[in-house]
């Protein structure tokens, strides 16, 4: 099975798609997939679909959606040549049927999508990001840049871009996007520590345009520009950020980027690269604006 959420939603067994065409069953599958391996409670599923005002028929309707998803799974498993069989349920110790009910499992109070973590791109991303961040914290910037680059390469666009999301999925998607931005900042910092200033200039130019209030990305862009002999461009980058922050939020840039700007104005060697703060209330505010 293959499940991809970092971009358009893809779920398939071999060449057999598992995505329902109806919006709400698709939404249920997306929430189960983004939390694959864990139990998603019935109240959480109902909140995702109907918000804080579920109809009286919500429990029955949800069961209908689960049944539709299992039928899709059953067909895909049959077409893939996977005959149903029995195995030991690791949660209860009892023999549990496989097939659709062994993949989309009923648990106490909810449901669980029981699949190999290696088949879900969000979980692969999280493992690569964790390993890359550890290498970064250990000062192994070459390994960090490689692992974080591999993690970021899994993204094919905004997470679940083609799925109608409710309040629960909205928060899960926001957390993924924040993790993506954190991985991106660390990977770029690793590249800067390796002296790859010129290689990241065009990438950072796009990023600061997409995030005009994000101080961390602007600091990285200024550092790359200055170290590439483009000091005047670094000063312009700071001035644009300063203007944007004053206009949009009514605040001054933080002390870290002000110190960076002052060191550039003083001339001399390019400033040292410092690790980004993750996430920090100031950075969260600005990336969410």
């Amino acid at each position: 099975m293959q499940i991809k959420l970092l971009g358009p939603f893809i779920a398939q067994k071999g060449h057999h798609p598992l995505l329902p065409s109806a919006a709400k069953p698709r939404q249920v599958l997306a929430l189960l997939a983004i939390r694959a391996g864990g139990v998603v409670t019935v109240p959480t599923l109902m909140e995702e679909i109907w918000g804080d005002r579920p109809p009286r028929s919500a429990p029955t309707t949800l069961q209908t959606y689960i049944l539709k998803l299992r039928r899709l799974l059953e067909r895909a498993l049959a077409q893939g040549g996977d005959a149903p069989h029995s195995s030991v349920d690791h949660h209860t110790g009892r023999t549990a049927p496989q097939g659709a009910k062994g993949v989309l499992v009923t648990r106490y109070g909810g449901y669980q999508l029981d699949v190999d973590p290696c088949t879900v791109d969000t979980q692969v991303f999280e493992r690569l990001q964790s390993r890359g961040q550890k290498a970064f914290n250990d000062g192994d910037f070459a390994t960090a840049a490689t692992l974080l680059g591999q993690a970021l390469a899994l993204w094919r666009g905004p997470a679940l871009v083609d799925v109608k999301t409710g309040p629960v999925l909205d928060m899960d998607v926001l957390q993924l996007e924040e993790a993506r931005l954190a991985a991106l900042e660390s990977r770029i910092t690793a590249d800067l520590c390796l002296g790859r200033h010129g290689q990241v200039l065009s990438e950072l130019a796009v990023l600061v345009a997409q995030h005009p209030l994000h101080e961390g990305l602007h600091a990285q862009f200024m550092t790359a520009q200055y170290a590439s002999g483009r000091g005047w461009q670094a000063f312009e980058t700071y001035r644009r950020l300063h203007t944007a922050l004053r206009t949009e939020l009514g605040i001054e840039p933080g002390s870290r980027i002000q110190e960076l700007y002052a060191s550039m104005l003083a001339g001399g060697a390019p400033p040292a690269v410092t690790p980004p703060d993750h996430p920090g209330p100031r950075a969260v505010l600005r990336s969410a604006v």
Side-chain angles (χ1 to χ4, degrees), residues 252-267:
E252 296 290 329
S255 59
R256 177 180 160 199
I257 197 166
Q258 287 193 42
E259 290 168 3
L260 176 64
Y261 179 59
S263 70
M264 290 179 177
L265 285 176

Side-chain angles (χ1 to χ4, degrees), residues 26 33-34 149 161 169 180 191-192 218 249:
R26 190 184 185 96
I34 209 168
V161 65
L169 270 176
R180 179 190 192 182
D191 281 334
L192 292 174
H218 280 76
L249 302 178

Side-chain angles (χ1 to χ4, degrees), residues 174-195:
L174 178 60
Q175 289 177 354
L176 280 171
E177 294 290 350
E178 289 290 343
R180 179 190 192 182
L181 191 56
L184 187 57
E185 282 190 83
S186 290
R187 198 229 78 218
I188 292 172
T189 300
D191 281 334
L192 292 174
C193 288
L194 293 168

Side-chain angles (χ1 to χ4, degrees), residues 20-245:
S21 55
K24 292 190 185 302
R26 190 184 185 96
Q27 198 173 347
V28 170
L29 181 58
L31 182 53
L32 290 167
I34 209 168
R35 301 188 179 189
V39 177
V40 184
T41 66
V42 168
T44 299
L45 287 162
M46 291 197 297
E47 181 186 357
E48 167 61 23
I49 302 168
W50 294 288
D52 58 0
R53 307 184 81 175
R56 291 183 180 179
S57 61
T60 302
T61 304
L62 178 59
Q63 289 177 351
T64 302
Y65 295 157
I66 295 294
L67 180 61
K68 289 180 178 179
L69 292 173
R70 281 178 173 157
R71 285 174 178 166
L72 273 174
L73 279 166
E74 204 66 65
R75 284 199 295 270
L77 291 170
Q79 291 170 348
D82 291 346
H85 59 282
S86 296
S87 69
V88 176
D89 187 317
H90 297 294
H91 292 265
T92 65
R94 300 175 182 175
T95 299
Q98 289 298 291
K101 288 187 177 181
V103 178
L104 206 174
V105 187
T106 301
R107 300 294 186 198
Y108 180 76
Y111 300 93
Q112 175 187 13
L113 194 63
D114 190 4
V115 294
D116 185 343
C118 294
T119 64
V120 185
D121 64 353
T122 52
Q123 298 197 21
V124 177
F125 167 77
E126 288 167 3
R127 286 200 307 277
L128 286 168
Q129 182 194 24
S130 178
R131 290 171 56 201
Q133 192 62 48
K134 182 181 184 304
F136 181 90
N137 294 339
D138 291 343
D140 184 355
F141 299 118
T143 299
T146 297
L147 290 172
L148 292 170
Q150 291 172 356
L152 293 164
L154 295 170
W155 287 75
R156 298 165 291 112
L160 293 174
V161 65
D162 57 347
V163 175
K164 178 184 177 182
T165 57
V168 180
L169 270 176
D170 281 344
M171 291 303 300
D172 286 349
V173 168
L174 178 60
Q175 289 177 354
L176 280 171
E177 294 290 350
E178 289 290 343
R180 179 190 192 182
L181 191 56
L184 187 57
E185 282 190 83
S186 290
R187 198 229 78 218
I188 292 172
T189 300
D191 281 334
L192 292 174
C193 288
L194 293 168
R196 301 169 180 170
H197 305 95
Q199 296 177 33
V200 298
L201 279 172
S202 58
E203 180 181 17
L204 281 166
V206 173
L207 287 170
V208 297
Q210 293 173 339
H211 303 274
L213 304 177
H214 196 292
E215 290 183 22
L217 292 173
H218 280 76
Q220 291 178 325
F221 193 29
M222 289 167 61
T223 301
Q225 289 172 319
Y226 190 88
S228 300
R230 306 182 186 188
W232 67 272
Q233 291 182 347
F235 302 147
E236 285 300 315
T237 296
Y238 176 82
R239 293 187 184 110
R240 283 196 301 271
L241 173 66
H242 184 275
T243 300
L245 290 174

Side-chain angles (χ1 to χ4, degrees), residues 5 78 275:
L5 305 114

